[in-house]
Amino acid sequence: MQLATTSTHLIYFSSVSGNTARFVEKLGLPAERIPLFPSEEPLQARDPYVLVLPTYGGGEGRGAVPKQVIRFLNDEGNRNLIRGVIAAGNTNFGEGYCLAGDIIAAKCQVPLLYRVEVFGTPDDVQAVQEGLDRFWTQQSTTSR
Amino acid sequence: MTVTDPAHAIGKSIPLVRAVSAINWNRIHDDKDVEVWNRLVNNFWLPEKIPLSNDVQSWNTLTPEEQQLTMRVFTGLTLLDTIQGTVGAISLIPDAITPHEESVYTNIAFMESVHAKSYSSIFSTLASTPEIDDAFRWSEENVNLQKKAQIVLDYYTGDDPLKRKVASTLLESFLFYSGFYLPMYWSSRAKLTNTADMIRLIIRDEAVHGYYIGYKFQKGLEGASDERKQEIKDYTFNLLFELYDNEVQYTQDLYDSVGLTEDVKKFLHYNANKALMNLGYEPMFPKDVTDVNPAILSALSPNADENHDFFSGSGSSYVIGKAETTEDEDWDF
Ligand SMILES: Cc1cc2nc3c(=O)[nH]c(=O)nc-3n(C[C@H](O)[C@H](O)[C@H](O)COP(=O)(O)O)c2cc1C
Ligand SMILES: [Fe+2]
Ligand SMILES: [Fe+2]
């Protein structure tokens, strides 16, 4: 058995506009990026992680989760290690606001931890850092 | 001077592209162009699809003062959409980095004309001809409305492509919101709900427009010298301050009589932050002035409430949702 790590491990996706990458960078936690292009080596999760992803969509909820993230989660090994999800988006998308987070939470049965707009305000960064601290401590004491 | 007819009011002319090549959508330079094009096409709508006449009863419950305020707000929005359709989006075409970007701008321009026209659908459904004419006259005479139109138009016809994109993004992501506030307010009180449905479609379109123009701005800035980057950043914040001061006066002028000015200002700050982020700049307004009235926020996005996520809610109230009904076929589980 491995010792529980103190800081949360993050896995994230971000498109070429890079907002989510920028948010993750501000969190200052160990993080790995799901590759943008199918030609790149797929990412394989090795430790439990929290997923951070932006919401996209072609309307009516379809396409809200980026294809790259679907591909990543279709891998059972990756799927088994997800512990929570943080979604990015914009409230101006109305009903579609951060929908990717709801979809992943429901499909993987993990909590939607937080929602952030664009690349987040300093308050968002603080809220997520503190929230993850508590969440991860709880996780490593309750799980094997 | 009036700028309600922007194409004629400019005085200066916008350059057209010098050379045109056939646009080949089978050779893509930036996947964002395709992605945004597709999203815009999927989002396409027309005012005729929305049953605005169902709002007639509700309209009649508003006081004459409230009706007049609503009409004025909508003529203000009509002017901004007209500017963006007739000048703003078109002015971005000559500096497009990729050929497909040009097509996206023509798509945006057309949609702005749909937006502008959709307010007229609201008017013809709810108001009388003299009332409509009155509201349009007001829009031509209102100093702050004319000023914001003029500030933006000046940059659209100026010769700095990056400054044009900044002005355009601030229009898409900030200037509309003093107006968008009101239909969200009515909607939160179960009034003019069909009108609000239509405005939400407009807001969603503007969200994609602001994102895209902001993204292309950041691309354009990428290779610039530090000096140039600083110049553009200073310009952006100065323009935002100038527009903000004017927005506050515009807001007071419209909303003081109904006691909503402070509430609207929070909505302005909240959206100014997102406009800055669309341009890649850090948000400027602190938390204590961006705490938008929850009723307005949930009129904008029903999912925006606090208990919807684990960290913001009280914790115990959080429940993991059920799978969505609309799903992509790519999922293997
Ligand atoms: C085409 C398009 C569609 C989008 N759809 C949604 C949406 O349905 N819901 C939402 O909350 N945000 C939506 N967004 C906003 C993005 O999630 C947001 O801008 C995010 O910061 C992008 O992250 P990235 O730069 O890391 O890719 C959309 C953005 C684009 C460009
Ligand atoms: Fe518009
Ligand atoms: Fe727009």
Side-chain angles (χ1 to χ4, degrees), chain A residues 17 57 91 102 112 115 117, chain B residues 39 211 270 274 303 308 318:
Chain A
S17 45
T91 54
D102 294 293
L112 170 58
R115 288 161 306 153
E117 293 195 79
Chain B
R39 175 76 195 219
Y211 165 95
Y270 169 69
K274 289 200 278 182
N303 305 330
H308 197 91
Y318 178 81

Side-chain angles (χ1 to χ4, degrees), chain B residues 112 172 206 209:
Chain B
E112 303 300 5
E172 299 276 9
E206 307 306 5
H209 298 171

Side-chain angles (χ1 to χ4, degrees), chain B residues 54 69 107 122-123 137 140 176 279 282 287 325 329:
Chain B
N54 291 346
L69 168 66
N107 179 315
I122 300 175
F123 294 147
R137 191 167 330 112
E140 286 172 26
F176 279 116
L279 291 163
E282 286 297 319
K287 198 178 178 172
T325 45
E329 52 280 353

Side-chain angles (χ1 to χ4, degrees), chain A residues 49 72-82 108, chain B residues 332-333:
Chain A
Y49 65 91
F72 172 78
L73 288 173
N74 277 343
D75 180 300
E76 203 180 342
N78 290 339
R79 197 154 76 226
N80 288 340
L81 289 167
I82 187 174
C108 300
Chain B
D332 279 351
F333 65 101

Side-chain angles (χ1 to χ4, degrees), chain B residues 49-328:
Chain B
K49 295 266 168 63
I50 290 120
L52 293 170
S53 58
N54 291 346
D55 282 348
V56 171
Q57 252 192 335
S58 168
W59 176 254
N60 291 329
T61 67
L62 303 186
T63 65
E65 198 185 28
E66 290 168 340
Q67 290 182 348
Q68 188 188 55
L69 168 66
T70 307
M71 303 266 306
R72 288 180 173 180
V73 160
F74 286 163
T75 50
L77 290 169
T78 305
L79 177 59
L80 293 184
D81 273 310
T82 309
I83 291 173
Q84 193 64 353
T86 312
V87 186
I90 307 283
S91 80
L92 302 175
I93 294 177
D95 326 302
I97 308 166
T98 68
H100 315 92
E101 186 181 345
E102 299 169 6
S103 301
V104 175
Y105 292 140
T106 60
N107 179 315
I108 291 177
F110 170 67
M111 213 54 214
E112 303 300 5
S113 299
V114 173
H115 296 168
K117 185 169 182 288
S118 68
Y119 295 109
S120 286
S121 300
I122 300 175
F123 294 147
S124 61
T125 309
L126 301 179
S128 68
T129 307
E131 286 168 331
I132 299 172
D133 290 343
D134 219 47
F136 275 94
R137 191 167 330 112
W138 172 86
S139 78
E140 286 172 26
E141 288 164 3
N142 182 274
V143 177
N144 297 118
L145 179 59
Q146 289 299 319
K147 187 173 169 194
K148 76 168 139 176
Q150 197 55 56
I151 295 170
V152 173
L153 276 173
D154 282 346
Y155 282 104
Y156 285 167
T157 55
D159 47 20
D160 190 324
L162 288 177
K163 291 182 179 174
R164 269 206 284 279
K165 289 199 180 67
V166 171
S168 220
T169 305
L170 292 181
L171 185 146
E172 299 276 9
S173 305
F174 171 59
L175 290 182
F176 279 116
Y177 286 84
S178 51
F180 287 155
Y181 174 90
L182 191 63
M184 293 304 108
Y185 173 80
W186 291 135
S187 165
S188 77
R189 316 197 131 211
K191 297 199 172 191
L192 304 185
T193 53
N194 297 281
T195 299
D197 283 342
M198 198 178 81
I199 303 298
R200 275 186 280 266
L201 293 176
I202 298 180
I203 292 175
R204 188 179 69 176
D205 291 340
E206 307 306 5
V208 180
H209 298 171
Y211 165 95
Y212 183 75
I213 301 168
Y215 163 72
K216 289 292 179 180
F217 163 78
Q218 294 181 60
K219 283 252 134 193
L221 197 61
E222 248 169 32
S225 68
D226 287 350
E227 206 181 355
R228 170 77 169 148
K229 281 185 178 155
Q230 192 59 46
E231 180 206 341
I232 294 294
K233 186 176 180 181
D234 292 343
Y235 155 78
T236 302
F237 281 86
N238 286 336
L239 178 57
L240 180 64
F241 290 135
E242 187 182 2
L243 291 170
Y244 173 76
D245 281 343
N246 188 63
E247 275 312 277
V248 168
Q249 286 176 36
Y250 182 66
T251 299
Q252 286 165 346
D253 188 32
L254 282 167
Y255 292 98
D256 267 358
S257 63
V258 286
L260 289 173
T261 300
E262 289 312 307
D263 222 34
V264 180
K265 275 163 69 180
K266 288 185 173 178
F267 198 51
L268 294 184
H269 303 148
Y270 169 69
N271 284 289
N273 275 353
K274 289 200 278 182
L276 285 171
M277 287 197 269
N278 276 338
L279 291 163
Y281 296 118
E282 286 297 319
M284 189 185 89
F285 290 98
K287 198 178 178 172
D288 56 323
V289 295
T290 59
D291 52 338
V292 175
N293 183 341
I296 299 298
L297 206 55
S298 74
L300 182 67
S301 162
N303 305 330
D305 69 291
E306 288 250 300
N307 288 330
H308 197 91
D309 65 57
F310 194 79
F311 291 166
S312 315
S314 57
S316 55
S317 61
Y318 178 81
V319 243
I320 297 173
K322 294 198 172 47
E324 301 285 325
T325 45
T326 45
E327 287 196 356
D328 290 86

Side-chain angles (χ1 to χ4, degrees), chain A residues 9 13 37 41-42 47-48 54 56 61-62 66 84 92 107 120 123 144:
Chain A
H9 187 73
F13 175 76
F37 301 106
E41 174 101 15
D47 301 302
Y56 279 89
R62 299 183 65 81
N92 294 334
K107 284 196 84 81
D123 297 306
R144 16 166 215 117

Side-chain angles (χ1 to χ4, degrees), chain B residues 9-40:
Chain B
I10 301 165
K12 282 184 282 181
S13 61
I14 306 170
L16 284 176
V17 255
R18 292 286 164 89
V20 174
S21 322
I23 299 176
N24 179 2
W25 283 89
N26 291 309
R27 224 165 249 297
I28 297 303
H29 312 281
D30 184 346
D31 289 327
K32 273 295 162 199
D33 296 335
V34 186
E35 181 182 274
V36 167
W37 171 272
N38 287 340
R39 175 76 195 219
L40 291 174

